[in-house]
Structure formats: C-alpha cells, structure tokens
C-alpha cells in the first residue's frame, strides 16, 4: 500500500479522535449517568490515542528504508511541539503548585520523559519513544518479530493498567510494578503502550491486506463488542488501576483503521493541524471555561454536557484561527523554498511507479500459470534506483529478486526487502557467513567454485548455473556427474538450477535454432539428473526476451530485467509476444543559461561545433558524469524542450551540455529538458541507445549515482 494518497477517512477521524480526548477530560455524560459516561470516556474514547499512534506509524514506520531521516524529522517535530506545549502550561503548573513538590528535579525528569508535564501531554513523549522503538524493531526484525515483542510489552503494560488488580495479588509482580511506577506513573506510555500501535500502522501501510469493507466492518463490530464486555467486566470487579489498555483494543484498532482507509477522497489537510491543536489546547480551554463561569453562570461547568460542548467550541475556534495563521506562515516558507529549488535543481531521474505496476501485471499475464516473476534489480535496478524499485515491487507482492553481487543483495535486505534474493554473479567463498546471515542464494558458477564454497563449512542456499552454449558462467550441461555431486555437498542447499539464453532477443532462424538447442541441452541435463534419483529444485531459463520469444517454457521462475522497466533492449519490437509496456524512467535536467552565438562561433570543448548561422544556445545542467553518453555529442543526440526537439551541439561535458534552441520559441532559464521520456513527442531509451550503437540496458545503467530520484 502506498503511503501517499487521499486518506480522507484518516483526516476526518483525527477531528473525531481529538473531540473524544476532550470528552475523556470533561466527562460529558457524568451529570446524567455515571455508567454511560464510563462507556463513552473509558471505552469508546479509548480508540483516540491509539488511532493517533497508528496514523503516525502508517506514514512513518516501514521495513523499507534507506535512511533514518523520516524518523529524525518526526522526532524533531514532535519534540518541538512538546517543548511549545510545556511552555504553554507553565503558568497553570505554577498556579497548581507543581514546582513546590518534593524531589522536584527527579519528578520533572520523569514527567518530561514519560508522564508529560501536564496530564494530557504524556502523548508527545510516548510518540517519540514509541516511534523510535517501533522503527528500529521493524527495521531490524521485520513486522512479525517486532509485533511479537510489542505484544509482550503491551501485555506487561496491561497488567500495570486495566489488569493491575490481578497483578497486585502476586507478590513478585507487585514488586515489579512498584519499581516501574517509580519511573513512570503509568504503563500507558511510550514503552509499553505506544509501540504496538506504531507497528500496526506501519504494517497496514506496507502489507496488502485484501479483506473487503464488509469483512473489516464485521470484524470491527465484533472486536469492539468484545472490548466493551471486557471493559465492563473489569469495571464491575474494580480490577483497573487505569482504563487504557484492553486485550481487544489493538485488534479493534486494526480493523477500525482499515475501515478508515476505504474513504479516499479529497484530503482535508487543515484538519490534521487543527486536531493536534485541539488536543494540546483543550485543557487551557477547560480553565478558561471555569473562569467564564463567573460571568456566564455555573451551568457551563456544572452541567457536564454543556461544559463539554463549550470546551469543544472554544477549542475548535482557537484551532481554526491558529491553523490558518500557521498554514499561511508555512505556505509562504514553502513557496520561497520551492522557488529556490526551482532555480537550483539541475538534473534528476523521474520514476512512474504506476507504469512499473502496469508492467508487472502485463508480464505476469503472459507468464505460465505456475511461474513466479523474479525481478532483476542489479546495477541500481538498471539505473532506476534499487531502493525505489525493489521496495515498490515488494509492496506489489513480488517476492523473488535477482542481483549481480552480494553487496547488492545485502543492500536489498537493509532496505527491508523480504523474499528470495539470487546473486547471479561471483561471490568470494570467504563471504559465506554473509550469504547465510542475509539469507541470500548464491549462483554456483562451476564445480571448482562449488567445492570452495562447500569447504567454508557454512550452509548456503544456492542455484546451479548450467552452461548450455553461452560459454560464460556455469557447469557444462554435459558434466552430469559434476552437477549430481553438487546436490550431495553437505553445506550447499540447492534451491534452484538454471541456464541463460544468449540470443533469445533474435528471431533469425539460426539464432532461434541455437536458443532451442540451449533449451534442449538444459532439459537433457534435467532428465538425466532425474534418472539418477536427483530431486530437481526450481528451474528457470527465461529472461525478458526469453519470455517474449519462448513463452511456452513452463519454468518455476521467469527472470525479468529490462522489460520490467517498460522498455526493450532495442527499438525493434519483433518478438513473438507483443506487450505494450510503459517506460518507468524519464531523465530530465534544467536549462540554466541561454546565450546568443554568432555565425562562425564555436561551442564547447575542441571547437567541434561551429555555428552556421546566428544561433540561440541553451546550456543544460547534465553531462556524462550523470550518465549521458558522450557519444551523443555533435548532434547525434538531443533533448525535448517545450515539446520540441533540440539537438545537442558540441561535445558533452562532464556536468553540462549545449543544445540548439534557435527554432524553439519562448525558452527560458528553468525550463525542463527531457533527455529520455515524453514531452509532446517521445525520446525512448532504445532510440537514444541506437544513436551510439548500444542497447537500452547499457544506457539506463549509466545513470550516475549523483542524480536524485523523484517519484512522479
């Protein structure tokens, strides 16, 4: 599930949750019925804070990450808000005699870290601690293990909260919780309470739960009823120390949150800020209402429902005014920042992940029924960005990947990629421990290599590469005994066996004959192994062109590389299976300078371009250091500016190139130049590659690591 979108349900429930929290602190129904008030404030309203935690987790927590920047930003923003809130309530704390308590410094530290310096502010330090705990657990262990640990923490917290009456009957537990309560007044905090909801929020975002609205609705109603019965039972027997942590609360929240995700319309962005302000400011409004009661009458404090409504009204009015002020201030800052970025951004790769999803679906439709797509993401996913592509594919449900090196495989694991990862190339046998640690599958490139890896004494998963005629890597298909020996090696766990077709992209009769011979050679080996009692693991032969030209092969995997990214190696699409694939990558840069060049003047290194007329030249901030082939110099290549083609003039430099825009009207500094992609007309990767006698694969892999990647 993408963590961006029109989550109207989440936005609207923020306001509902904020008003429920106001209810907790004002007890709206207490003047009418104590039980009814308990149901509202201690059962229904208990979904509010977990909802806020889950919302933060939904947009923050992910096993897919290349850095900790999002966590740092979240903690920084929350800490700033917490600091402002602390300052706001200092006058009230002084009035209440907070600073005259015994052991002031230890209590201040305890309140700042766990309990909050005012009764409702505990949520903010809990968010900081809970987010950090959840982030690092998910990052290190994945969701399953992180959730188990969070459940254990939650259970520990629960027996210091709603089930404390049971725990205090056991001497050891009573001593344990007595110690905890010296550090924090409640187990409803960032250690025991918050992490489980952060993890659940992230898990919902990262995992494709496919339950229908009806199923989620029924599950929510059932779990809420169970939580209601649980809470009323605990209340009846007076077991609680506090009424925050119920057994069925996390389960109930799981289904409630998924229900909210079904409402996807226009986002109500102002509500997000308003709900936070209501949460922070409503105790101040409670104080103001008590002050106003001296002038407006006691009914606004004595009648609990009226008191609640007045507090809500004042909180909402204050939040609306504050939100408008803050929004106008931040909008002006963003516009300044946007203008600055516009003027300084030089070049970038732009990815269309919707096209990636389309290609995955299109390729899977033509794959044999029981075949699994193995996404080839080596060399930074053919220049597209391994992190962006692999994490997106994993979220789409792709569970098999291929890379070229062990370091690429380790990188995928650090990004949080789950599933199988096959290393197609050589790995030093001395790195066997890393192969096992990161659960990588190593290609066995020949018999000698297999023996060397086996001698490490570390069980390693592997695929056997079979050379069927390419004469590159692999054990010869004729060496049946050698292949059989590999299956019997003690420390080699053979998970697959495969070959590679060297001319599958060609439909020339002689090339088709050669490919068919390769296929026959592979299956000859497989049949001989079966005859000798070898249990055949998963097999794979096809790459992108192998699928498009030999779709009849029913293998366990199909290794899709270049086609996954919406292009083929060459512009000639003469394949047996025709697919309308959509390019994922665009390459763009900015026009940073426009200069007039007189007839006979030269441009760039070597004076290789001499103007044959008075010309207008645009300097574009991209060069061969960013992956643009230098072979495209001197009008062999070009760019699109304002939907028109501008040829490259002179030699391409490391960091910039020049194009002739004499025939293009209204070009200005800051305009976008498209080197690969669509702008009224199309410049495709295969066409660009043909201009320097190459293929799309090489062109895309040239994309330099210094180019930022932007998701369209």
């Amino acid at each position: 599930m993408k963590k961006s979108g029109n989550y109207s349900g989440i936005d609207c429930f923020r306001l509902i949750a904020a008003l429920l929290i106001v209810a907790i602190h004002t007890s709206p129904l207490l003047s009418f019925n104590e039980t009814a008030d308990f149901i509202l404030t201690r059962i229904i309203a208990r979904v509010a804070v977990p909802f806020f935690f889950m919302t933060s987790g939904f947009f923050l927590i992910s096993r897919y990450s290349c850095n900790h920047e999002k966590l740092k930003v979240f903690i920084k923003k929350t800490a700033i808000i917490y600091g402002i809130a602390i300052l706001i309530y200092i006058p009230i704390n002084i009035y209440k005699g907070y600073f005259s308590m015994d052991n002031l410094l230890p209590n201040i530290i305890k309140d700042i870290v766990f309990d909050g310096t005012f009764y409702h502010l505990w949520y903010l330090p809990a968010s900081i601690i809970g987010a950090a705990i959840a982030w690092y657990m998910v990052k290190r262990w994945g969701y399953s293990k992180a959730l188990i640990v969070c459940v254990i923490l939650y259970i520990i917290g629960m027996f210091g909260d709603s089930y404390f009456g049971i725990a205090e009957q056991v001497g050891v537990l009573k001593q344990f919780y007595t110690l905890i309560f010296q550090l924090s007044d409640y187990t409803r905090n960032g250690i025991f309470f918050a992490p489980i909801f952060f993890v659940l929020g992230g898990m919902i975002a990262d995992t494709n739960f496919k339950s229908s609205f009806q199923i989620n609705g029924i599950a929510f109603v059932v779990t809420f009823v169970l939580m209601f019965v649980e809470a009323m039972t605990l209340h009846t027997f007076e077991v609680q120390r506090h009424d925050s942590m119920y057994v069925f609360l996390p389960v109930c929240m799981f289904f409630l949150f998924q229900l909210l995700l079904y409402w996807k319309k226009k986002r109500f962005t102002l509500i997000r800020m308003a709900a936070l302000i209501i949460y922070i400011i409503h105790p101040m409004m409670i104080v103001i209402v008590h002050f106003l009661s001296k002038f407006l009458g006691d009914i606004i404090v004595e009648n609990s429902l009226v008191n609640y409504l007045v507090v809500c009204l004042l909180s909402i009015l204050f939040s609306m005014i504050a939100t408008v002020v803050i929004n106008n201030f931040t909008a002006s800052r963003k516009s300044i920042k946007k203008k600055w970025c516009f003027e300084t951004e030089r070049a970038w790769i732009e990815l269309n992940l919707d096209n990636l999803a389309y290609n995955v679906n299109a390729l899977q439709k033509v794959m044999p029924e029981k075949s699994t797509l193995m996404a080839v993401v080596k060399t930074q996913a053919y220049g597209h960005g391994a992190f962006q592509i692999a994490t997106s594919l994993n979220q789409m449900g792709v569970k098999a990947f291929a890379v070229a090196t062990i370091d690429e495989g380790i990188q995928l694991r650090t990004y949080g990629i789950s599933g199988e990862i096959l290393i197609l190339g050589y790995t030093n046998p001395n790195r066997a421990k890393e192969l096992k640690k990161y659960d990588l599958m190593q290609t066995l490139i020949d018999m000698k290599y297999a023996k060397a890896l086996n001698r490490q004494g570390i069980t390693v998963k592997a695929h056997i590469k079979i050379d069927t005629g390419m004469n590159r890597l692999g054990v010869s298909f004729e060496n049946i005994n050698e292949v059989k020996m590999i299956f019997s090696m003690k420390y080699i766990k053979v998970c697959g066996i495969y070959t590679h077709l060297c001319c599958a992209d060609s439909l020339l009769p002689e090339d088709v004959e050669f490919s068919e011979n390769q296929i026959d050679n592979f299956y000859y080996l497989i049949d001989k192994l079966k005859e000798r009692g070898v249990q055949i693991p998963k097999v794979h032969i096809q790459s992108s062109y192998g699928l498009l030209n030999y779709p009849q092969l029913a293998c366990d995997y199909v290794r899709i590389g270049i086609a996954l990214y919406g292009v083929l190696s060459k512009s000639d699409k003469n394949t047996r299976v025709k697919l309308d694939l959509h390019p994922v990558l665009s390459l763009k840069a900015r026009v940073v300078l426009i200069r007039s060049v007189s007839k006979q003047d030269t441009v760039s290194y070597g004076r290789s371009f001499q103007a044959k007329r008075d010309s207008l030249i645009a300097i574009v901030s991209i060069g061969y250091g960013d992956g643009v082939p230098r072979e495209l110099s001197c009008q062999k290549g070009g760019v699109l500016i304002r939907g028109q083609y501008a040829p490259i003039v002179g030699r391409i430099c490391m960091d910039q190139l020049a194009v002739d825009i004499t025939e293009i009207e209204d070009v200005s500094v800051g305009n976008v130049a498209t080197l690969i992609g669509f702008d009224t007309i199309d410049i495709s990767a295969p066409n660009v590659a043909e201009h320097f006698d190459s293929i799309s694969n090489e062109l895309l892999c040239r994309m330099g690591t210094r180019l930022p990647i932007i998701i369209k």
Side-chain angles (χ1 to χ4, degrees):
M1 181 179 293
K2 293 180 181 179
K3 295 194 181 186
S4 59
N6 299 326
Y7 297 115
S8 308
I10 292 178
D11 287 339
C12 289
F13 201 80
R14 289 177 195 264
L15 183 58
I16 295 171
L19 297 180
L20 285 174
I21 289 170
V22 178
I24 292 173
H25 298 140
T26 55
S27 297
L29 303 181
L30 192 59
S31 297
F32 307 97
N33 185 285
E34 187 176 336
T35 301
D37 189 73
F38 176 84
I39 292 171
L40 173 62
T41 62
R42 299 299 183 264
I43 302 177
I44 296 174
R46 287 311 185 197
V47 305
V49 171
F51 162 77
F52 283 123
F53 287 145
M54 289 184 71
T55 299
S56 296
F58 181 82
F59 293 105
L60 172 69
I61 304 299
S62 177
R63 73 174 186 267
Y64 306 114
S65 177
C66 57
N67 58 54
H68 297 159
E69 193 59 34
K70 286 180 69 176
L71 177 63
K72 292 178 182 177
V73 170
F74 176 83
I75 291 175
K76 181 180 178 180
K77 286 184 176 180
T78 307
I80 291 172
I81 293 169
Y82 188 29
I84 294 171
I86 289 172
L87 294 175
I88 289 173
Y89 286 98
I90 283 178
I92 297 179
N93 280 329
I94 293 173
Y95 176 77
K96 292 175 62 178
Y98 177 86
F99 294 101
S100 62
M101 74 171 77
D102 295 333
N103 300 313
L104 179 60
L105 182 58
N107 277 291
I108 288 178
I109 294 172
K110 180 183 70 172
D111 288 343
I112 289 176
V113 175
F114 291 112
D115 299 334
T117 57
F118 207 69
Y119 58 84
H120 70 307
L121 296 182
W122 69 271
Y123 165 79
L124 296 169
S127 293
I128 294 171
I129 296 171
I133 291 173
W135 175 282
Y136 285 107
M137 285 198 301
V138 169
K139 183 65 179 169
R140 184 174 180 83
W141 300 325
Y143 284 112
S144 297
K145 292 181 180 178
L147 189 59
I148 290 171
V149 175
C150 287
V151 168
I152 293 171
L153 290 173
Y154 186 81
I155 291 171
I156 294 171
M158 199 167 56
F159 278 98
D161 192 274
S162 296
Y163 286 81
F164 181 67
I166 297 173
E168 68 177 350
Q169 301 301 317
V170 181
V172 175
L173 291 180
K174 186 176 181 180
Q175 292 177 8
F176 172 72
Y177 286 104
T178 299
L179 177 61
I180 287 179
F181 294 141
Q182 290 177 3
L183 301 174
S184 173
D185 289 342
Y186 307 97
T187 53
R188 174 216 60 187
N189 56 36
I191 295 176
F192 301 110
F193 184 55
I196 190 170
F197 298 107
F198 273 94
V199 170
L200 285 175
M203 188 168 68
I204 289 172
D206 274 358
T207 309
N208 292 316
F209 295 106
K210 298 181 180 179
S211 300
S212 66
F213 179 84
Q214 291 79 6
I215 291 175
N216 278 307
I218 293 169
F220 168 67
V221 171
V222 170
T223 53
F224 181 80
V225 169
L226 290 172
M227 185 176 75
F228 176 85
V229 172
E230 176 191 5
M232 292 303 296
T233 302
L234 294 171
H235 181 62
T236 300
F237 290 98
E238 298 181 346
V239 175
Q240 311 105 305
R241 181 178 185 273
H242 198 258
D243 306 283
S244 293
M245 304 178 72
Y246 300 119
V247 170
F248 289 100
L249 179 58
V251 187
C252 176
M253 291 305 305
F254 177 81
F255 294 113
L256 172 60
F257 201 88
Q258 291 203 88
L259 283 175
L260 295 174
L261 294 178
Y262 280 95
W263 186 8
K264 290 187 177 182
K265 294 184 179 180
K266 183 179 178 180
R267 294 212 68 176
F268 305 104
T269 53
L270 294 182
I271 290 180
R272 284 179 278 173
M273 179 63 70
L276 176 62
I277 294 172
I278 289 171
Y279 180 91
I280 292 173
I281 207 66
H282 77 270
M284 186 70 74
M285 297 300 109
I286 293 173
V287 173
I288 291 173
V289 168
H290 276 75
F291 174 76
L292 292 176
S293 67
K294 297 178 181 179
F295 307 98
L296 302 177
D298 291 338
I299 189 172
I300 64 173
V301 292
E302 290 180 351
N303 186 300
S304 59
L305 182 57
V306 173
N307 181 52
Y308 169 70
L309 293 175
V310 174
V311 171
C312 285
L313 178 61
L314 290 177
S315 299
I316 291 171
L317 287 174
F318 182 90
S319 70
M320 289 174 63
I321 295 170
T323 299
V324 170
V325 172
I326 294 171
N327 189 60
N328 289 338
F329 175 72
T330 55
S332 63
R333 290 190 65 187
K334 285 181 179 178
S335 65
I336 293 171
K337 183 177 179 182
K338 183 176 180 181
K339 181 180 179 182
W340 183 84
C341 289
F342 174 82
E343 291 174 349
T344 58
E345 187 67 77
R346 54 178 302 275
W348 66 93
I349 290 169
E350 191 172 279
L351 299 183
N352 188 323
L353 296 181
D354 289 336
N355 284 357
L356 179 66
Y358 173 88
N359 296 337
V360 169
N361 184 56
L363 290 161
Q364 288 177 330
K365 283 182 178 178
V366 299
M367 285 167 48
E369 185 178 351
K370 295 184 179 180
S371 292
T372 297
L373 188 152
M374 179 180 283
V376 183
V377 292
K378 59 185 179 178
T379 318
Q380 285 296 315
Y382 288 62
H384 290 64
F387 170 72
Q388 290 81 0
I389 295 297
T391 54
S392 298
L393 290 172
N394 218 191
Q395 288 175 308
M396 293 173 198
V398 175
K399 297 296 183 182
F401 296 86
V403 295
T405 69
I406 184 174
D407 293 310
E408 289 180 338
I410 292 172
Q411 190 176 52
L412 292 190
R413 290 297 190 216
T414 61
Y415 292 158
I417 300 301
S418 61
E420 301 171 312
I421 300 177
L422 173 63
I423 299 169
L424 298 172
Y426 170 82
T427 297
N428 192 315
N430 293 334
R431 302 186 72 178
K433 286 184 179 180
E434 292 174 272
L435 291 171
K436 183 176 182 178
K437 176 181 177 181
Y438 293 100
D439 191 23
L440 305 174
M441 298 185 295
Q442 174 60 43
T443 289
L444 304 178
I445 60 174
D446 69 356
M447 183 61 176
K448 184 178 179 181
Y449 178 80
K451 289 179 178 179
L453 194 58
N454 187 59
R455 283 196 299 268
Q456 304 304 310
I458 298 168
T459 302
V460 171
K461 295 179 181 178
H463 283 216
I464 304 174
K465 180 72 175 289
I466 302 301
D467 179 18
T468 55
M470 189 171 182
N471 291 315
R472 192 175 61 174
L473 301 179
V475 182
S476 173
F477 75 94
E478 297 174 322
N479 294 335
I480 301 166
N481 289 332
E482 284 191 1
V483 177
K484 185 175 182 296
M485 285 175 60
I486 293 174
F487 278 93
S488 64
M489 289 181 177
K490 182 177 180 180
Y491 296 105
I492 301 294
K493 182 180 180 181
V494 179
C495 301
I497 185 168
Y498 72 101
T499 193
H500 188 59
L501 305 178
C502 60
C503 53
D505 59 333
S506 171
L507 290 179
L508 294 174
E510 59 270 27
D511 290 331
V512 171
E513 181 181 3
F514 192 90
S515 294
E516 289 176 345
N517 283 336
Q518 281 193 272
I519 295 167
D520 291 341
N521 291 340
F522 182 75
Y523 282 114
Y524 165 80
L525 170 68
I526 298 299
D527 290 339
K528 291 298 181 181
L529 291 174
K530 288 179 180 178
E531 290 175 6
R532 301 185 187 195
V534 174
Q535 185 69 35
I536 304 300
K538 294 181 178 181
V539 301
H540 45 115
I541 299 175
Q542 299 141 301
S543 57
S544 294
Y545 278 102
L547 173 65
L548 297 178
N549 284 330
Y550 302 92
Q552 75 279 5
L553 299 177
C555 297
D556 295 291
Y557 296 108
V558 178
R559 304 183 306 271
I560 303 294
I562 192 66
L564 193 64
Y565 308 106
V567 295
L568 295 179
S569 297
K570 298 179 180 178
S571 58
D572 178 14
K573 296 184 179 180
N574 185 26
T575 55
R576 288 170 176 166
V577 175
K578 309 293 184 184
L579 288 181
D580 179 28
L581 300 174
H582 295 178
V584 175
L585 178 146
S586 297
L587 179 62
K588 299 182 179 182
R590 291 210 184 273
V591 173
V592 295
L593 183 67
I594 297 174
R595 63 169 66 251
S596 298
V597 173
S598 301
K599 183 179 180 179
Q600 302 300 323
D601 281 354
T602 59
V603 175
S604 195
Y605 286 116
R607 304 176 68 234
S608 56
F609 171 77
Q610 187 174 49
K612 296 180 180 179
R613 59 178 178 176
D614 292 343
S615 302
L616 204 58
I617 303 298
I619 306 302
V620 180
S621 55
I622 192 170
Y624 62 78
D626 304 293
V628 180
R630 194 167 180 267
E631 295 92 331
L632 296 177
S633 300
C634 303
Q635 298 181 301
K636 290 184 180 179
V639 305
L640 299 177
I641 300 177
R642 300 183 62 82
Q644 297 184 58
Y645 187 81
I648 296 172
V649 294
R651 293 179 185 172
I652 295 172
C653 309
M654 183 180 291
D655 310 306
Q656 52 257 329
L657 54 82
V659 296
D660 189 342
I661 57 170
T662 308
E663 303 294 333
I664 305 176
E665 296 181 358
D666 300 325
V667 178
S668 59
V669 170
N671 283 165
V672 174
T674 301
L675 290 88
I676 299 174
F678 182 82
D679 182 6
T680 305
I681 58 176
D682 183 60
I683 295 184
S684 70
N687 286 334
V688 174
E690 286 178 358
H691 284 307
F692 67 102
D693 194 26
S694 186
I695 58 176
S696 302
N697 311 49
E698 181 192 356
L699 172 65
L700 295 174
C701 289
R702 282 176 178 242
M703 300 299 105
T705 56
R706 74 180 180 182
L707 287 178
I709 296 174
I710 297 173
I711 305 302
K712 185 176 180 180

